[in-house]
């Protein structure tokens, strides 16, 4: 059972609880080939792979994993689409349910296959009382492998999730030989998503100083250093790929349980202006990203927001909501969802101004 304790730096106190589901985190070139079999729950385990069409048809990755598994391979589902539609998850679940020998699910790809695998494990438990062992080979920086929540999209387009430690990933393989096939724009944009997680950790009231905030600070520093390098070197520099994968884990993997390119900089500044303690925590990031502390928390926190926005611009990731096809008539819907259902009030008005500034 997770215990939530607020953390503070003055006076210094807090709590960190190790993640109960994660047993192995391998990283580095060829780590899948070297260590995959060591993570199977038994010598006769049967593994079902879930992935997306692009990885299955445009890269050699799926064939590599299937060949490596050999007799352990029990089947593959390649139709997981973006945002993990429930129809895809249901289809994969039906296929797995026909083979009672399957005890392991392996997700290959980004957030959608990883979240789908978690949700499939949950659905299988509903059917037979057993969760599947979940192994993953992430190919983006979304950090979906770090949470115990399986997000999916219902038929009406609304995103929701299931959450329990038992569906969390048991083994993560950060192998640059797999991530190098990820298109550059997707690689960079998911890196900014992970940056979002890391920055949020600085002002999350239940974020412990050690290791949560300490690792998040390191993650922010690594993103600022390595994302610009990746823009020029991806996919040839495997060390940079591995460092970014580890930074993605550091951004979210030490939590007790769980559009960024467009909104992170402005949101950081909004948080800093709204609450003095948040400004103080955000300001602590400035030395990690090449800035010099002035002693003025608000000023330093606002500079952090500016530097994040500048990084987004330098990576070529900035787009207005207009460019993304979101009309101004959608502003009330965007704000309502962003504020947890509010339709009026001071917070609603502040977020409305922030969203209007994104056009």
């Amino acid at each position: 059972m997770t215990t939530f304790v607020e953390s503070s730096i003055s006076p210094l106190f807090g709590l960190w609880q190790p993640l109960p589901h994660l047993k192995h985190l391998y990283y580095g070139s060829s780590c899948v080939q070297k260590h995959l079999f060591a993570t199977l729950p038994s010598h006769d385990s049967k593994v079902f792979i879930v992935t997306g069409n692009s990885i299955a048809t445009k890269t050699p990755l799926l064939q590599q994993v299937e060949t490596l598994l050999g007799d352990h391979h029990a089947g593959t589902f390649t139709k997981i689409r973006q945002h993990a539609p429930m129809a895809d998850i249901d289809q994969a679940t039906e296929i797995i349910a026909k083979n009672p020998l399957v005890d392991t699910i392996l997700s290959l790809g980004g957030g959608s296959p990883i979240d789908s695998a978690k949700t499939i494990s949950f659905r299988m438990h509903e059917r037979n009382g057993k969760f599947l062992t979940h192994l993953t080979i992430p190919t983006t920086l979304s950090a979906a492998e770090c949470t115990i929540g399986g997000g999916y999209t219902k038929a009406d387009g609304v995103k929701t999730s299931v959450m329990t430690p038992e569906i969390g990933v048991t083994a993560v393989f950060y192998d640059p030989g797999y991530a190098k096939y990820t298109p550059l724009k997707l690689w960079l944009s998911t890196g900014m998503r992970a940056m979002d997680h890391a920055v949020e950790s600085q002002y999350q009231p239940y974020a412990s100083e050690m290791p949560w905030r300490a690792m998040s600070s390191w993650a922010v520093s690594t993103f600022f250093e390595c994302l610009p390098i990746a823009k020029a070197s991806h996919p040839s520099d495997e060390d940079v790929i591995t460092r970014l994968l580890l930074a993605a884990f550091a951004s979210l993997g030490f939590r007790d349980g769980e559009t960024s390119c467009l909104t992170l900089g402005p949101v950081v500044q909004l948080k800093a202006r709204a609450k003095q303690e948040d400004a103080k925590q955000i300001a602590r990031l400035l030395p990690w990203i090449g800035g010099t502390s002035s002693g003025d928390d608000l000023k330093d926190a606002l500079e952090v927001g500016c530097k994040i926005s500048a990084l987004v611009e330098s990576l070529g990731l900035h787009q207005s909501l207009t460019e993304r096809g979101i009309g101004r008539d959608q502003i009330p819907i965007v704000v309502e969802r962003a504020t947890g259902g509010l339709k009026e009030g001071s917070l609603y008005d502040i977020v409305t101004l922030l969203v209007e500034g994104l056009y």
Side-chain angles (χ1 to χ4, degrees):
M1 180 177 178
T2 300
T3 302
F4 294 101
V5 174
E6 288 202 19
S7 181
S8 170
I9 62 169
S10 182
L12 188 63
F13 64 83
L15 167 72
W16 179 66
Q17 293 178 284
L19 304 177
H21 53 88
L22 183 63
K23 294 180 172 59
H24 312 276
L25 191 158
Y26 293 102
Y27 59 93
S29 183
S30 301
C31 68
V32 172
Q33 183 177 356
K34 294 175 182 176
H35 303 293
L36 180 61
F37 288 112
T39 64
L40 298 180
S42 72
H43 69 277
D44 56 356
S45 287
K46 294 297 182 181
V47 183
F48 192 91
I49 303 169
V50 292
T51 189
N53 182 65
S54 291
I55 284 180
T57 61
K58 298 179 181 180
T59 78
L61 300 180
L62 177 58
Q63 184 178 0
Q64 287 177 200
V65 178
E66 290 177 339
T67 301
L68 179 62
L69 285 172
D71 292 341
H72 291 284
H73 180 224
T76 299
F77 186 82
T78 64
K79 299 178 182 178
I80 298 297
R81 291 169 290 172
Q82 191 174 17
H83 305 304
M86 196 64 236
D88 300 351
I89 292 171
D90 286 341
Q91 188 177 353
T93 302
E94 289 300 325
I95 296 172
I96 294 173
K98 294 177 182 178
N99 187 347
L101 297 179
V102 173
D103 61 357
T104 303
I105 191 164
L106 188 153
S107 53
L108 172 63
S112 294
I114 295 171
D115 275 355
S116 294
K118 286 185 256 183
T119 307
I120 291 167
S121 178
F122 187 88
R123 296 284 187 244
M124 290 302 298
H125 180 263
E126 289 182 324
R127 286 171 176 252
N128 61 22
K130 297 180 181 179
F131 294 100
L132 299 173
T133 296
H134 185 182
L135 316 178
T136 189
I137 307 172
T139 61
T140 74
L141 300 169
S142 68
E145 65 274 9
C146 299
T147 74
I148 59 170
Y152 60 92
T153 304
K154 297 191 294 184
D156 60 4
V158 176
K159 293 184 178 181
T160 187
S161 65
V162 292
M163 185 174 294
T164 182
E166 288 83 0
I167 64 174
V169 172
T170 300
V172 178
F173 295 88
Y174 286 138
D175 194 322
Y178 285 74
K180 70 180 183 181
Y181 290 95
T182 303
L184 178 60
K185 186 173 182 179
L186 178 60
W187 184 247
L188 297 178
S189 62
T190 54
M192 288 305 304
R193 179 58 178 156
M195 172 88 80
D196 190 334
H197 298 316
V199 173
E200 181 188 354
S201 296
Q202 295 304 306
Y203 52 80
Q204 218 281 353
Y206 297 104
S208 60
E209 280 293 303
M210 183 58 66
W212 190 345
R213 284 180 181 160
M215 294 306 299
S216 293
S217 297
W218 175 84
V220 170
S221 177
T222 301
F223 288 133
F224 263 83
E225 177 188 353
C226 291
L227 285 175
I229 298 174
K231 184 183 179 184
S233 68
H234 190 76
S236 60
D237 194 328
E238 292 199 352
D239 282 349
V240 168
I241 292 173
T242 304
R243 290 181 66 191
L244 285 169
L245 286 166
L246 291 173
F249 181 83
S251 74
L252 196 56
F254 294 92
R255 292 197 175 191
D256 308 323
E258 162 350 353
T259 59
S260 308
C261 297
L262 191 61
T263 61
L264 180 55
V267 167
V268 163
Q269 293 186 327
L270 184 152
K271 294 288 293 185
R273 290 190 176 100
K275 190 175 180 182
Q276 183 179 1
E277 181 59 28
D278 287 348
K280 182 177 182 180
Q281 296 296 339
I282 294 168
R284 297 171 65 191
L285 288 173
L286 190 56
W288 288 87
I289 58 177
T292 302
S293 298
S294 68
D296 183 326
D297 290 336
L298 178 57
K299 178 182 177 181
D300 290 351
L302 294 177
E303 186 176 349
V304 170
C306 287
K307 283 184 173 291
I308 291 172
S309 296
L311 177 63
V312 171
E313 291 281 355
S314 72
L315 296 175
L317 296 174
H318 179 76
Q319 277 187 314
S320 67
L321 289 181
T322 301
E323 291 172 305
R324 292 178 180 233
I326 302 174
R328 289 183 176 273
D329 61 315
Q330 298 295 304
I331 290 177
I333 297 174
V334 173
V335 175
E336 183 177 344
R337 290 186 177 181
T339 57
L342 295 179
K343 295 185 177 181
E344 60 181 10
S346 59
L347 178 59
Y348 181 92
D349 294 339
I350 291 172
V351 176
T352 297
L353 287 174
L354 186 153
V355 173
E356 288 175 344
L358 302 177
Y359 283 89

